[in-house]
């Protein structure tokens, strides 16, 4: 079957002529000459190989073939207008899909208020949030399965990935109310490392920062427990079995038991939190809108206990 290629402007001219029955009125409405309009209609008839209008010097009327073509032409224009309206909605971020990958501590401790603010103004965006370890975040973004990622520490800019630091997440000491940390003061790293501790597994960004600091400062770090999940660490700490040291963003993931939070120094240990995205790729409008929100917010105000005082509280309070 021969394919019929038609210009949308020609189809629109045909529909207006079928509606008005006047070349003069259609030409005036479209701002074109009568001869140009006549050539458009002739091209449609040539390409469809059908006579669509019976016309003489005074009258223009649709043939039976023209009536059938009018139904199809109106359907084409309606579909085109609907598709363009949908694309306009997409460009204005009212719809679309946004996939974010992030560390569990970031997805629980930083993103919820940002997502709530974003969804209030973009309710029809389909947002998917994937929490995973740092390597997984980088992999999801690099493979294009996530639009943006939130990870820890500086990622070397490369041909594939770009990184923008957002904030510094300070490590604090965490214990049960009657633990070694019950004294209200600032603690030294050497002090807490001498106590029974629970550490995150070596695959986590938290453990990588602590191990690097211990190596640099010649500290001996032999944790009593090693776990993969923050909630498990929180449960062990709440039972008084150990204490731990974690970045502030991890606190909402620890659980509901009351815990003590104490400042740590010598050294003051920071984990760098930042955005990662694929280099050289244009982000979707929804992703661009979310990034604009993140960059315009005071992120430090969203971190639980970002300024650690001597306090006893529940991480989820």
């Amino acid at each position: 079957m021969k394919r019929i290629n038609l210009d949308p402007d020609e189809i629109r001219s045909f529909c207006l002529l079928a509606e008005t029955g006047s070349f003069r009125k259609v030409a005036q409405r479209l701002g074109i000459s009568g001869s140009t309009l006549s050539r458009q209609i002739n091209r449609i008839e040539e390409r469809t190989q059908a006579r669509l209008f019976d016309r003489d010097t005074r009258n223009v009327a649709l043939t039976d073939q023209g009536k059938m073509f009018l139904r199809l032409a109106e359907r084409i224009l309606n579909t085109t207008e609907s598709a363009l309206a949908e694309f306009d909605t997409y460009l204005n971020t009212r719809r679309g899909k946004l996939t974010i990958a992030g560390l569990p501590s970031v997805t629980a401790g930083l993103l919820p208020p940002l997502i709530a603010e974003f969804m209030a103004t973009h309710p029809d965006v389909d947002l998917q949030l994937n929490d995973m370890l740092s390597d997984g975040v980088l992999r999801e973004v690099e493979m294009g399965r996530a639009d943006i990622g939130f990870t820890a520490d500086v990622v070397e800019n490369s041909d594939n990935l770009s990184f923008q630091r957002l904030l510094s997440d300070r490590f604090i000491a965490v214990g049960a109310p009657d633990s070694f940390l019950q004294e209200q003061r600032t603690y030294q790293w050497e002090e807490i490392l001498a106590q029974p501790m629970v550490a995150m597994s070596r695959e986590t960004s938290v453990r990588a920062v602590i191990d690097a600091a211990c190596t640099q400062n010649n500290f001996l770090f032999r944790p009593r427990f090693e776990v993969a999940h923050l909630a498990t660490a929180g449960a062990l700490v709440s039972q008084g079995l150990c204490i731990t040291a974690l970045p502030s963003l991890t606190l909402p993931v620890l659980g509901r038991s009351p815990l003590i939070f104490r400042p740590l120094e010598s050294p003051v240990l920071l984990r760098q939190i930042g955005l990662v995205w694929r280099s050289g790729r244009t982000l979707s409008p929804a992703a661009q809108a979310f990034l604009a929100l993140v960059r315009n917010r005071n992120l430090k105000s969203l971190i639980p206990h970002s300024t650690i005082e001597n306090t006893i509280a529940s991480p989820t309070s």
Side-chain angles (χ1 to χ4, degrees):
M1 175 182 287
K2 181 179 179 180
R3 182 175 180 179
I4 301 174
N5 293 316
L6 296 175
D7 188 301
D9 289 337
E10 294 174 345
I11 296 175
R12 190 171 290 105
S13 297
F14 168 83
C15 291
L16 288 174
L17 184 59
E19 176 186 340
T20 63
S22 169
F23 274 87
R24 180 180 57 82
K25 290 181 180 180
V26 173
Q28 289 177 345
R29 183 169 173 178
L30 295 177
I32 59 178
S33 67
S35 59
T36 298
L37 176 61
S38 180
R39 285 195 296 271
Q40 287 182 338
I41 300 303
N42 287 336
R43 279 197 295 269
I44 295 176
E45 291 183 325
E46 289 174 1
R47 292 171 185 172
T48 59
Q49 297 182 355
R51 185 169 183 81
L52 304 178
F53 290 101
D54 286 328
R55 47 194 182 272
D56 55 32
T57 55
R58 302 184 61 182
N59 299 305
V60 177
L62 284 169
T63 64
D64 288 342
Q65 293 170 314
K67 292 175 182 178
M68 169 59 77
F69 184 76
L70 177 62
R71 290 198 294 271
L72 299 177
E74 288 175 338
R75 188 189 308 173
I76 291 170
L77 291 181
N78 289 336
T79 300
T80 301
E81 290 175 1
S82 177
L84 291 175
E86 182 177 343
F87 186 62
D88 180 65
T89 296
Y90 166 77
L91 290 178
N92 287 281
T93 70
R94 293 190 296 271
R95 290 183 183 172
K97 183 176 182 180
L98 172 61
T99 301
I100 301 173
L103 300 173
S105 57
V106 176
T107 58
L110 182 67
L111 294 187
L114 293 172
I115 290 174
E117 185 174 344
F118 179 79
M119 296 307 297
T121 54
H122 304 80
D124 294 324
V125 171
D126 179 12
L127 194 151
Q128 181 175 335
L129 186 61
N130 300 329
D131 55 349
M132 56 191 64
L133 298 181
S134 184
D135 287 345
V137 173
L138 299 181
R139 183 171 57 254
E140 290 296 292
V141 174
E142 189 169 12
M143 297 298 294
R145 292 191 290 263
D147 297 290
I148 55 177
F150 289 82
T151 187
D153 300 318
V154 175
V155 176
E156 292 291 338
N157 285 357
S158 66
D159 292 338
N160 297 324
L161 296 175
S162 296
F163 179 85
Q164 177 188 353
R165 192 182 71 82
L166 294 176
L167 54 88
S168 297
D169 190 14
R170 182 173 175 174
F171 276 72
I172 59 172
V174 184
D178 57 352
S179 69
F180 171 77
L181 300 175
Q182 59 186 306
E183 185 178 345
Q184 296 186 359
R185 62 180 177 85
T186 297
Y187 286 77
Q188 310 293 308
W189 272 94
E190 280 192 298
E191 290 183 88
I192 69 164
L193 291 175
Q195 302 301 312
M197 291 191 66
V198 56
M200 302 307 298
S201 64
R202 296 179 185 275
E203 293 78 20
T204 63
S205 62
V206 172
R207 181 63 178 275
V209 174
I210 294 179
D211 284 348
C214 288
T215 299
Q216 184 176 357
N217 292 276
N218 294 316
F219 293 153
L220 181 63
F221 184 34
R222 292 180 177 174
R224 174 175 290 182
F225 305 103
E226 186 171 314
V227 298
H229 300 286
L230 288 164
T232 305
L236 293 173
V237 171
S238 67
Q239 290 296 313
L241 297 172
C242 53
I243 61 174
T244 192
L246 294 168
S248 299
L249 276 177
T250 64
L251 302 187
V253 193
L254 294 182
R256 297 183 177 274
S257 300
L259 296 169
I260 294 176
F261 310 119
R262 302 295 190 223
L264 272 174
E265 64 179 19
S266 299
V268 171
L269 204 55
L270 302 173
R271 181 179 64 155
Q272 305 301 327
I273 300 297
L275 278 168
V276 64
W277 66 93
R278 283 195 294 174
S279 301
R281 298 296 182 95
T282 301
L283 293 172
S284 70
Q288 293 181 40
F290 190 81
L291 284 186
L293 170 65
V294 170
R295 289 166 174 164
N296 290 328
R297 290 285 266 114
N298 177 14
L299 300 182
K300 289 185 178 180
S301 67
L302 303 179
I303 302 178
H305 302 277
S306 58
T307 301
I308 297 299
E309 299 177 353
N310 297 317
T311 182
I312 299 177
S314 169
T316 55
S317 63

